[in-house]
Amino acid sequence: MNSSSTTRRRLAALAASASVTALVLALGACASGGSGSGGGAPGTGDKPYVALVSKGFQHQFWQAVKQGADDAAAELDVEVTFEGPETETEVEKQLTMLQTALDKSPDAIGYAALDSEASIPMMTDAVSRGIPVIAFDSGVDSDAPVTTVSTDNLAASAEAAKHMAELVGSGKIAIVGHDQTSQTGQQRVEGFTQYIEENAPDIEIVDTQYAAGDQLKSADAAKAIMQAHPDLKGIYGTNEGSAIGVVKAVQESGRSGELTVIGFDSGTAQTDAIRDGLMAGAITQDPIKMGYETVKAAVAAINGEEVEPVIDSGFYWYDETNIDDPEIAAVLYE
Amino acid sequence: MTTTILGRAGQGKNGLGNRQQLQQLLAFAGLVVIFVFFSVASPYFLDWANVKGILLATAVTGIMALGATLVIATGGIDLSVGTGMTLCSVMTGVFLANLGLPLVVGVLGGLAIGALIGLLNGLNVAYLRLPPFIATLAMMMVAQGLSLVISGTKPIYFSDVAGFGQLAGGELVPGLPNAVLIFFVAAVLAGVTLSKTLTGRYALSIGSNEEATAISGVDVRRWKVVIYVVAGLFTGLAGVVMASRLNSAQPGLGLGYELEAIAAVVIGGTSLRGGKATILGTVIGALIMATLTNGLRIMSIPQEWQKVAVGIVIVLAVYADMLRRGKEA
């Protein structure tokens, strides 16, 4: 192999890599060009600027929060940016994003903490610089936020338990959870368990397993639980991925109709499962309202108005009887 | 039949045959021990429905691990199999659900994307001389980003694509889901590739001594590209099977699967230093991971302990391999 042909080959490979990079950049440009917010240089215009740092962006839930935030931004004539890490475990990455957002000196900041304690120093810093903080989705262990806009997960999961109890009556049930380290993940199990313990003495929760909201792994977990408890009568999945996984498990085991499946959140697969009778029903949060209320509270804080310390963004139970009601359809995301 | 073909993987290297078979035997014995343990520990473990569940849980990571075995045989590593699989499933969704192409074209398209990912990995490793760890780490990120961009961060559903769900979910052999059948067929193909074709022989040869292989007249760079492309095809297949089983392409999923695939390869007795690889071992390794997880779940052992258990098994498997190597050296 002589050196000139080596160089040629390297150049060819480099060209191939470069063309892929160009493709990526082009696609990226298309994608960001299509999104509503973030146009222009933030913080430099005349409009007030609100920087939102969420827990993620790829889930439909966060896209719906963003939509609500964009709606409020258009209505109240403010500039809003929305960003979040790829997965909901990247605490450090989120803190970097929060720091960057603070460095842009926004007029207000919205923050959905992945870790309710890790961000306290930055929260304090924001307050000392006169930047109001609005917590959304989950709270921060600090006095810094002027308000917290969130779903009452304890109440929402108790509602899920209420429907489970009504549908099952008595016997064994189980839970497939999505996250045992976040407050939200814990409360979705806690609220459910508490309700069953206090109000449904004939129902026993025989197992609670966690599968990170991954459909395949949730399906495997649900199947193992069903295997270990052949007389199981119902399973509750605490988020979209968990619930879909449970449905998958029941289907693949050929036990559709024998088990009562209750879910949480929304998404096409889940609404289809409810329409097809594979899932009894689910709790949906109102992410659009969450995004909307966050920006609205931020603007109120910028204008020096009083804001309620807690803003409940609400939740709904939906099943095949009300899934097409306008009020419900509006909060279900695809 | 399967055993004889797969069992001879890697025998091309002088004197390695016996050691390889011993390692496979050890891995297989490990699987049997785990199986017997859970059968005794829980009355619900040994049941065809449950075994079927274990096989199904093995299929996707197992297929990924087959391709990873070929790359690891060269002394390389492929970190892009997890998110690469996701990109393949998303592109299959684009072909079938968004563009409405015929089923065969969409599936072949998904495989082709896998091959393309492999091609770029191979070019970067062989011609730009990037370390495989870095080249495939970069591809892992590119594939994850592209999956999110192309899908618009939304899952793509195959509800309107007739027959796609049957691909993995149907039962060509009654009682056995197609996903498992595809995994077995893919394992035989991978085994044949490793032990009977130049691709496999050169992979092992490059892994044991790249310089010597080059001196003996093998165009090492060209064959590296071929090996990564073949591995990419398995990534593509995993993506198609995954999409079919979930009847949707999930753009947020896949990260972390590469580590499970690599763990399966390592438990199976393939050396991360290259030159020594076994497909049957990888199949057993994948089955060990899935059986362990399933058994612990049936016994209601929490997920965090399941991870601890899998980690310990990896250490035991590699340590056992090293002990034997030491003795023979």
Side-chain angles (χ1 to χ4, degrees):
Chain A
M1 191 73 43
N2 63 46
S3 66
S4 79
S5 92
T6 307
T7 315
R8 251 204 331 273
R9 286 182 182 208
R10 285 201 194 177
L11 282 175
L14 194 60
S17 292
S19 57
V20 171
T21 314
L23 175 75
V24 174
L25 292 176
L27 283 167
C30 291
S32 61
S35 66
S37 72
T44 55
D46 305 326
K47 293 179 185 179
Y49 168 47
V50 181
L52 300 182
V53 178
S54 85
K55 289 183 179 177
F57 68 91
Q58 81 273 46
H59 284 111
Q60 292 320 292
F61 181 83
W62 296 112
Q63 291 287 316
V65 173
K66 179 177 182 298
Q67 189 198 320
D70 288 344
D71 290 349
E75 192 182 308
L76 302 168
D77 199 30
V78 294
E79 184 92 45
V80 167
T81 52
F82 191 97
E83 58 184 339
E86 274 89 19
T87 70
E88 298 192 11
T89 49
E90 293 172 277
V91 177
E92 198 194 342
K93 196 165 185 178
Q94 196 199 30
L95 290 178
T96 311
M97 287 176 167
L98 181 63
Q99 187 61 57
T100 314
L102 281 170
D103 291 345
K104 288 190 279 190
S105 292
D107 296 294
I109 200 151
Y111 179 53
L114 279 176
D115 185 308
S116 51
E117 282 187 35
S119 62
I120 292 174
M122 274 187 244
M123 296 281 103
T124 317
D125 178 43
V127 171
S128 70
R129 288 162 59 182
I131 302 170
V133 179
I134 316 295
F136 66 101
D137 189 58
S138 53
V140 177
D141 292 339
S142 145
D143 295 333
V146 291
T147 183
T148 302
V149 184
S150 69
T151 307
D152 184 343
N153 278 295
L154 284 172
S157 50
E159 179 77 11
K162 191 183 111 196
H163 287 274
M164 178 68 94
E166 281 168 8
L167 290 164
V168 168
S170 65
K172 295 178 179 174
I173 59 167
I175 303 172
V176 175
H178 68 281
D179 180 11
Q180 63 211 110
T181 50
S182 79
Q183 214 178 30
T184 321
Q186 288 166 350
Q187 287 180 345
R188 296 232 185 127
V189 171
E190 204 182 307
F192 186 91
T193 314
Q194 250 171 24
Y195 182 92
I196 296 290
E197 279 170 2
E198 286 166 14
N199 301 289
D202 296 335
I203 296 179
E204 184 195 358
I205 299 173
V206 290
D207 205 352
T208 302
Q209 301 224 1
Y210 294 85
D214 176 315
Q215 285 100 327
L216 276 188
K217 290 181 178 152
S218 300
D220 294 337
K223 256 194 245 178
I225 297 174
M226 286 161 60
Q227 188 67 29
H229 306 278
D231 51 349
L232 197 71
K233 291 175 85 176
I235 307 181
Y236 159 56
T238 66
N239 79 345
E240 186 180 344
S242 314
I244 300 307
V246 172
V247 169
K248 195 86 226 159
V250 173
Q251 259 180 318
E252 284 182 349
S253 311
R255 293 180 64 186
S256 304
E258 293 173 34
L259 273 91
T260 302
V261 180
I262 283 179
F264 209 109
D265 291 330
S266 174
T268 306
Q270 201 157 191
T271 49
D272 282 352
I274 288 173
R275 287 204 170 89
D276 296 343
L278 295 166
M279 188 183 284
I283 298 288
T284 179
Q285 307 181 71
D286 193 343
I288 299 176
K289 186 177 176 195
M290 188 183 285
Y292 183 90
E293 291 293 338
T294 302
V295 172
K296 200 176 146 195
V299 172
I302 292 169
N303 296 334
E305 295 162 21
E306 277 289 308
V307 184
E308 290 291 317
V310 174
I311 299 171
D312 186 356
S313 51
F315 61 85
Y316 302 89
W317 163 262
Y318 67 106
D319 54 24
E320 59 179 351
T321 63
N322 70 349
I323 193 166
D324 293 316
D325 290 357
E327 186 191 33
I328 297 294
V331 297
L332 297 179
Y333 43 92
E334 294 199 336
Chain B
M1 154 93 180
T2 312
T3 323
T4 50
I5 293 173
L6 299 176
R8 279 166 56 183
Q11 258 184 349
K13 283 192 64 192
N14 32 343
L16 264 186
N18 283 337
R19 197 166 78 191
Q20 208 110 69
Q21 273 164 0
L22 195 69
Q23 172 68 17
Q24 283 173 4
L25 206 67
L26 195 81
F28 187 69
L31 179 61
V32 170
V33 167
I34 292 173
F35 215 82
V36 170
F37 172 76
F38 285 122
S39 301
V40 174
S42 165
Y44 301 108
F45 179 80
L46 197 60
D47 179 292
W48 176 238
N50 193 45
V51 174
K52 200 161 84 173
I54 293 174
L55 291 173
L56 205 49
T58 314
V60 171
T61 31
I63 293 171
M64 274 195 288
L66 297 174
T69 308
L70 292 173
V71 170
I72 292 172
T74 68
I77 192 91
D78 192 348
L79 296 177
S80 68
V81 287
T83 60
M85 168 197 74
T86 311
L87 182 59
C88 293
S89 69
V90 166
M91 287 309 295
T92 307
V94 169
F95 296 144
L96 290 175
N98 297 0
L99 300 176
L101 298 176
L103 193 62
V104 179
V105 179
V107 169
L108 290 178
L111 297 182
I113 298 297
L116 184 67
I117 293 171
L119 177 69
L120 290 170
N121 279 337
L123 288 174
N124 286 340
V125 168
Y127 291 97
L128 291 188
R129 296 194 184 281
L130 297 182
F133 188 91
I134 302 300
T136 58
L137 177 73
M139 182 56 76
M140 166 174 124
M141 293 171 173
V142 168
Q144 187 188 25
L146 282 180
S147 299
L148 292 168
V149 169
I150 292 168
S151 63
T153 78
K154 292 188 175 78
I156 303 175
Y157 294 96
F158 293 88
S159 316
D160 300 329
V161 183
F164 185 70
Q166 287 298 305
L167 213 68
E171 293 185 352
L172 219 57
V173 177
L176 194 73
N178 285 349
V180 178
L181 191 66
I182 292 171
F183 172 43
F184 287 160
V185 172
V188 173
L189 287 177
V192 170
T193 305
L194 187 64
S195 62
K196 301 278 176 203
T197 68
L198 283 181
T199 310
R201 284 173 195 279
Y202 288 155
L204 290 163
S205 170
I206 291 168
S208 59
N209 193 334
E210 187 166 341
E211 237 172 280
T213 312
I215 290 168
S216 63
V218 177
D219 187 344
V220 167
R221 280 174 297 183
R222 197 173 66 116
W223 282 103
K224 268 193 188 170
V225 173
V226 171
I227 291 157
Y228 276 91
V229 169
V230 173
L233 281 170
F234 284 101
T235 304
L237 185 62
V240 171
V241 170
M242 170 97 144
S244 170
R245 194 178 160 204
L246 293 176
N247 215 20
S248 63
Q250 300 286 340
L253 212 140
L255 197 66
Y257 279 61
E258 66 282 339
L259 297 180
E260 287 184 25
I262 293 167
V265 175
V266 168
I267 292 174
T270 292
S271 166
L272 278 178
R273 285 187 293 189
K276 175 173 171 284
T278 133
I279 291 295
L280 184 62
T282 296
V283 172
I284 295 170
L287 283 170
I288 286 180
M289 300 237 307
T291 308
L292 201 58
T293 309
N294 172 275
L296 293 172
R297 271 185 171 142
I298 283 196
M299 294 178 68
S300 293
I301 309 287
Q303 195 201 10
E304 48 272 33
W305 289 107
Q306 294 165 19
K307 290 190 177 177
V308 171
V310 173
I312 290 172
V313 165
I314 292 174
V315 170
L316 287 179
V318 177
Y319 185 65
D321 191 31
M322 272 169 56
L323 271 187
R324 246 187 356 272
R325 264 169 192 260
K327 271 185 197 152
E328 283 171 24

